[in-house]
Amino acid sequence: MSKTLLTVKEAVGHIRRHHDHVEVNLINLKEYQLDFCDGRDPSEYEGDSKKIIKEIVEADALIVGTPIYRGSIPGALKNVFDLIPNTALKGKVLAFIATGGSYHHFLAIEHQLKPLAGYFKAYTLPGNVYAHNDHFQNKQLTDEGIKQRLHELSDSVVTLSKSLDSKVIGAEQPVIPRQSLAQT
């Protein structure tokens, strides 16, 4: 099991144990065959792509976990953000968990993921969690400080999501129509 999946499962497990009124779904992208985004309307995708888009659109809040490779998120996650409608995250709470080999790339959350969430008009938590190799032993998350931060992150997502009513504060962004090369 990947470090990222271990950390996300810790966060999801905490929600399940302490917020039994909250329905939680875990999406592991490795289990899906997603189309590469080609610019078409998200409603035109089929199969696993359609399932993932629907799951994200219908979610009230999201905790997104990602490994950081070479200072960046993997293409599979970027593809998901490309597939979803521009309004899919509008007014929703979005939190991030990232993992890497060391603390060397912990700012990827601040410099890549939070601006992406801002584009989608999502609310992001001020604090997120980054875990690295030293936080794991024998393929298990063992660092109690990281576990505590994951629990705090989970509680914060639930609390903030409950307190918002999906109203977005701020000016609307311009409408950006999607268009595939076949349509041009």
Side-chain angles (χ1 to χ4, degrees):
M1 187 176 310
S2 75
K3 291 180 288 190
T4 303
L5 189 55
L6 285 170
T7 56
V8 171
K9 282 188 171 188
E10 182 70 29
V12 167
H14 180 79
I15 293 173
R16 287 182 175 145
R17 288 187 303 275
H18 298 280
H19 302 279
D20 56 357
H21 60 282
V22 175
E23 181 183 333
V24 181
N25 298 324
L26 180 73
I27 297 172
N28 182 354
L29 292 181
K30 286 183 179 182
E31 298 172 358
Y32 295 87
Q33 295 291 323
L34 299 180
D35 295 312
F36 284 107
C37 180
D38 59 12
R40 72 182 118 148
D41 188 286
S43 65
E44 296 176 15
Y45 287 95
E46 297 294 330
D48 284 349
S49 297
K50 185 174 189 162
K51 288 178 195 173
I52 294 293
I53 292 168
K54 183 178 189 284
E55 189 90 22
I56 292 170
V57 166
E58 292 179 355
D60 294 324
L62 292 104
I63 297 175
V64 176
T66 183
I68 302 297
Y69 295 119
R70 299 178 188 233
S72 185
I73 63 173
L77 179 59
K78 175 63 169 79
N79 187 53
V80 170
F81 283 110
D82 291 341
L83 286 170
I84 62 175
N86 291 342
T87 57
L89 304 175
K90 186 176 181 179
K92 296 179 183 181
V93 176
L94 190 55
F96 297 107
I97 298 169
T99 58
S102 69
Y103 274 129
H104 195 71
H105 297 297
F106 78 97
L107 287 174
I109 293 173
E110 297 296 326
H111 295 290
Q112 292 180 3
L113 294 168
K114 283 188 174 182
L116 192 55
Y119 168 80
F120 284 101
K121 306 284 278 185
Y123 293 99
T124 57
L125 293 180
N128 293 276
V129 178
Y130 183 90
H132 62 74
N133 287 348
D134 291 348
H135 300 130
F136 300 85
Q137 292 180 352
N138 300 319
K139 299 183 180 183
Q140 295 297 316
L141 176 61
T142 55
D143 187 282
E144 292 301 321
I146 293 295
K147 287 182 183 181
Q148 180 59 36
R149 290 178 57 219
L150 289 165
H151 299 168
E152 292 168 358
L153 179 87
S154 301
D155 291 336
S156 296
V157 167
V158 172
T159 300
L160 184 57
S161 182
K162 280 184 189 178
S163 68
L164 296 173
D165 59 5
S166 297
K167 290 182 182 175
V168 178
I169 299 170
E172 286 296 322
Q173 60 198 37
V175 175
I176 304 168
R178 298 182 106 161
Q179 197 170 42
S180 69
L181 288 176
Q183 295 169 313
T184 58

